């Protein structure tokens, strides 16, 4: 005696809904990207100012701000996404995102420094921060689609 097709269909729909719930509860929220981007810019401004008290205050603000953002992020995460759900493509996407932002920041920073532009690191950080603030949510959307497109049983 087999399982009626409607019961199998309902069970599959329930598993897909639960997986979507797990994926959605573990994506990095949009506010995180803008908060980290703003902290990076403020920290870079403080360091590049070369004013000792501003460097100290900026460093403390960055450390405390980043700690607060990470604590808030950890408190919103209910479960841990397994790497099998993320897959190789997801991991490579994350590494590519970080690599592109790093390359942009370094290349622009060195080019601005070579051109003797004032505050080259701060100016180079601006497009990197914009990339994080606007690209981070798009990255999460892409990763969500990747995770939801994977087979329910994973790659075996």
């Amino acid at each position: 005696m087999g399982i009626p097709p409607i019961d199998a269909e309902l069970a599959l729909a329930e598993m897909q809904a639960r997986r979507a719930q797990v994926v959605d509860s573990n994506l990095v929220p949009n506010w995180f990207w803008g908060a980290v981007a703003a902290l990076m810019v403020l920290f870079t401004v403080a360091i590049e100012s070369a004013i000792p008290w501003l460097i100290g205050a900026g460093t403390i603000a960055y450390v405390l701000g980043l700690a607060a953002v990470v604590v808030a992020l950890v408190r919103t995460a209910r479960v841990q996404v397994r790497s099998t759900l993320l897959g190789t493509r997801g991991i490579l996407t994350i590494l590519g995102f970080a690599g592109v932002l790093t390359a942009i920041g370094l290349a622009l920073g060195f080019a601005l420094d070579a051109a003797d532009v004032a505050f080259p690191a701060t100016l180079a950080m601006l497009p990197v921060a914009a990339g994080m603030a606007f690209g981070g949510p798009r990255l999460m959307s892409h990763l969500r689609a990747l995770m939801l497109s994977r087979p329910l049983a994973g790659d075996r």
Side-chain angles (χ1 to χ4, degrees), residues 77-123:
R78 294 183 194 106
V79 294
Q80 194 78 27
V81 173
R82 295 175 52 176
S83 62
T84 55
L85 184 58
L86 189 57
T88 303
R89 284 180 50 200
I91 293 168
L92 292 175
T93 300
I94 294 167
L95 292 174
F97 179 75
V100 166
L101 290 179
T102 301
I104 289 170
L106 288 173
L108 186 55
F110 284 131
L112 291 170
D113 189 46
D116 285 329
V117 173
F119 304 105
T122 300
L123 293 174

Side-chain angles (χ1 to χ4, degrees), residues 25-148:
S25 70
N26 283 283
L27 292 175
V28 176
N30 291 349
W31 59 262
F32 172 85
W33 300 99
V36 172
L39 287 167
M40 288 173 17
V41 170
L42 292 174
F43 180 65
T44 306
V45 168
I47 296 298
E48 211 164 32
S49 74
I51 302 169
W53 70 265
L54 189 54
I55 293 171
T59 302
I60 291 168
Y62 178 76
V63 169
L64 294 177
L66 190 58
V69 167
V70 169
V71 165
L73 178 66
V74 168
R75 285 190 169 173
T76 62
R78 294 183 194 106
V79 294
Q80 194 78 27
V81 173
R82 295 175 52 176
S83 62
T84 55
L85 184 58
L86 189 57
T88 303
R89 284 180 50 200
I91 293 168
L92 292 175
T93 300
I94 294 167
L95 292 174
F97 179 75
V100 166
L101 290 179
T102 301
I104 289 170
L106 288 173
L108 186 55
F110 284 131
L112 291 170
D113 189 46
D116 285 329
V117 173
F119 304 105
T122 300
L123 293 174
M125 183 58 70
L126 294 176
V128 172
M132 281 193 67
F134 297 108
R138 293 188 67 156
L139 171 67
M140 293 297 100
S141 178
H142 177 74
L143 292 176
R144 180 184 191 280
L146 274 178
M147 289 187 277
L148 292 178

